[in-house]
Amino acid sequence: MFVDSHCHLNFPDLAARLPEVFAKMDENAVSHALVIGVSVPAFPEVLALAEAHERLYATVGVHPDDADAAEFSEAELVAHAAHPKVVGIGETGLDYHWCKGDLTWQHERFRTHIRASRATGLPLVIHTRESAADTLAIMREAGAEAGVMHCFTENREVARAALDLGFYISFSGIVTFKSAQELKEVAKMVPLDRMLIETDSPYLAPVPFRGKTNEPGFVKHVAEHIAALRGLPLEAVAEATCRNFFDLFAKIPRPAGV
């Protein structure tokens, strides 16, 4: 069994063909998928998907890449987090690739999400791009307690720092890319009991689907690549990442045998 710990099924490329997406999940033994909230306007779509489908769950948050985006207050995040299908806070974090100049607004948005996570006990889903040092600094300063570094693309030192803070590391299809040699070394280093896998679909399809629309059913290929890198049976990676997912997102009922 596999779990996709981060996807965007409300995005048009996937929302228009959900029956096909679910069929591909079944074909590849992907039991659950976590649909990630990235904006205030789109949150109702994310929540509706989670409410309509037993295998889907949701998070609530505002992505760090748009200075003009509508914001959830801490109180609003906490209120939405009370919904039984909302199991995490985010996607949140820092992004210095798309955003330049005075990024105080981005830091404050991140801190708001961390406070909501602390208030609710729900884990954070953290995005960091070209901003690892500041991301880790704010996590320490604001007391981020639990969560996952999603779509991890940083080096071993950043991974160790996140692990030391008690966070999980999630690998996407990027780890299958030939160019991602440093990331492959990170995937060898991260303890199996602190690892998740994801698609970030519809983006970042793994080899052999690179360049195509990604979907949760393809998360199996991420697990296969990590198993090969580490010289492990595929079942070992599947079992560990599933167990870790249900440990971290503890509101989700744990299937028998996981």
Side-chain angles (χ1 to χ4, degrees):
M1 186 176 83
F2 304 92
V3 170
D4 184 359
S5 68
H6 192 112
C7 64
H8 301 282
L9 292 185
N10 61 307
F11 286 16
D13 287 350
L14 297 174
R17 54 184 190 88
L18 282 179
E20 179 185 343
V21 169
F22 291 144
K24 182 64 70 173
M25 288 174 68
D26 291 337
E27 180 183 328
N28 288 286
V30 179
S31 66
H32 294 70
L34 185 57
V35 187
I36 304 298
V38 297
S39 73
V40 172
F43 177 66
E45 300 172 359
V46 171
L47 186 58
L49 281 170
E51 289 176 329
H53 302 282
E54 184 178 2
R55 68 200 309 174
L56 302 183
Y57 287 81
T59 69
V60 59
V62 179
H63 196 282
D65 67 353
D66 183 358
D68 299 321
E71 300 270 6
F72 285 121
S73 68
E74 178 185 345
E76 288 170 331
L77 288 168
V78 170
H80 287 308
H83 191 287
K85 277 282 194 160
V86 175
V87 301
I89 303 293
E91 181 171 352
T92 184
L94 303 179
D95 191 316
Y96 294 175
H97 179 79
W98 296 113
C99 304
K100 309 295 181 184
D102 182 359
L103 297 179
T104 302
W105 62 269
Q106 201 176 86
H107 298 173
E108 290 308 311
R109 182 182 295 174
F110 189 19
R111 290 188 180 98
T112 296
H113 285 72
I114 294 173
R115 289 194 300 270
S117 171
R118 289 172 58 89
T120 60
L122 295 187
L124 291 157
V125 177
I126 293 183
H127 168 108
T128 182
R129 189 171 184 188
E130 298 175 18
S131 56
D134 284 354
T135 299
L136 290 166
I138 292 175
M139 289 167 66
R140 294 187 186 102
E141 168 210 314
E145 295 177 331
V148 56
M149 308 299 284
H150 118 84
C151 193
F152 194 82
T153 56
E154 304 293 336
N155 59 30
R156 293 164 64 98
E157 289 68 31
V158 175
R160 287 193 188 97
L163 292 167
D164 287 346
L165 288 171
F167 276 67
Y168 290 75
I169 305 293
S170 182
F171 296 96
S172 70
I174 293 173
V175 77
T176 71
F177 298 174
K178 187 176 180 180
S179 59
Q181 293 304 313
E182 186 174 42
L183 186 60
K184 295 177 193 294
E185 294 303 314
V186 177
K188 294 178 188 178
M189 177 271 289
V190 171
L192 268 187
D193 64 358
R194 302 289 291 283
M195 179 186 294
L196 296 178
I197 54 175
E198 65 173 89
T199 60
D200 203 12
S201 51
Y203 312 115
L204 304 175
V207 174
F209 302 102
R210 188 173 182 182
K212 299 182 179 180
T213 299
N214 201 4
E215 57 183 276
F218 293 168
V219 77
K220 178 180 179 181
H221 296 277
V222 178
E224 287 175 339
H225 192 79
I226 292 171
L229 285 173
R230 297 177 69 122
L232 293 172
L234 176 59
E235 292 76 13
V237 175
E239 290 172 5
T241 53
C242 283
R243 182 171 58 251
N244 297 341
F245 177 82
F246 291 104
D247 285 347
L248 180 61
F249 297 103
K251 277 180 71 174
I252 304 176
R254 183 184 295 265
V258 175

